[in-house]
Amino acid sequence: MTSSIDGSGYNENYGLLGSNKSTEESIKLFPRDCRPLVLDIQQRILEATGKHVEVMVYGDGAFKDPQGKIWELADPVVSPAYTDGLIGTPNELKLKYLADNDFKNLSGEELKKAISESIKAKEGSLVGNMASQGTTPRQLTDLIGSLCDLTSGSGDKGTPVVLVQGYFDNYTT
């Protein structure tokens, strides 16, 4: 289904990959051309509230269910469209690394202050820095989309929109 057959829907990039059964005779294809939608939603929210928000269309996240042991990897990408503020990967320090290594002799307020100062002083990319190892260097859209998918669920919750707040905050804020 990378091209229309007798007027049917199609997805030129993914074909049937990521499709979901809709009825016994039809399927829902993975979304395409969503960029205008996310930009429109972003603009409407700005006009209505004065708030600049980032917007994404998300599908199934990428995680392994700890109970059922199955991988949730149904869609070809977690997000087929998102606004520019969601481009990139996290650039974070791992707090437990700092506490267990760099500041292992500190506790209480001294530890909190030392970690806060490290966060405020970080500059540039932390790639290769041991204090950032294990902070899941995936795309922001993969991380946030997985969070949204877990929140909205795929059953009878009926959650059409997930509002994520504070995701870009850090320990110092």
Side-chain angles (χ1 to χ4, degrees):
M1 295 300 290
T2 56
S3 60
S4 180
I5 299 172
D6 297 326
S8 68
Y10 64 98
N11 187 307
E12 61 277 337
N13 294 319
Y14 303 111
L16 293 176
L17 188 59
S19 62
N20 286 297
K21 182 178 177 181
S22 181
T23 70
E24 292 301 319
E25 294 82 34
S26 64
I27 59 172
K28 291 180 183 175
L29 296 170
F30 192 69
R32 64 180 186 143
D33 303 327
C34 302
R35 177 90 172 147
L37 172 69
V38 296
L39 294 173
D40 182 53
I41 291 170
Q42 184 181 53
Q43 184 62 37
R44 287 178 185 225
I45 291 173
L46 180 63
E47 289 169 1
T49 68
K51 304 281 184 186
H52 176 84
V53 299
E54 301 303 334
V55 178
M56 68 186 292
V57 171
Y58 65 91
D60 287 336
F63 62 91
K64 185 175 184 179
D65 182 279
Q67 184 66 35
K69 309 291 186 211
I70 62 166
W71 279 97
E72 180 69 66
L73 297 166
D75 291 333
V77 295
V78 174
S79 178
Y82 44 88
T83 52
D84 291 346
L86 297 176
I87 296 170
T89 58
N91 194 44
E92 302 172 340
L93 293 170
K94 190 157 190 123
L95 300 187
K96 61 185 171 187
Y97 178 89
L98 294 174
D100 293 345
N101 292 278
D102 296 9
F103 308 122
K104 64 183 171 193
N105 298 322
L106 301 178
S107 63
E109 284 302 314
E110 285 183 317
L111 177 60
K112 181 178 178 180
K113 183 179 178 188
I115 289 175
S116 294
E117 288 173 2
S118 292
I119 292 170
K120 290 176 182 175
K122 71 180 179 181
E123 291 184 22
S125 172
L126 296 173
V127 172
N129 182 329
M130 277 304 295
S132 71
Q133 298 269 325
T135 56
T136 318
R138 295 191 290 155
Q139 295 297 313
L140 290 169
T141 53
D142 293 344
L143 296 166
I144 297 168
S146 293
L147 169 66
C148 291
D149 183 54
L150 289 169
T151 302
S152 62
S154 59
D156 58 8
K157 289 183 180 3
T159 310
V161 174
V162 175
L163 173 63
V164 176
Q165 293 180 300
Y167 189 84
F168 293 104
D169 295 349
N170 68 41
Y171 183 69
T172 65
T173 55

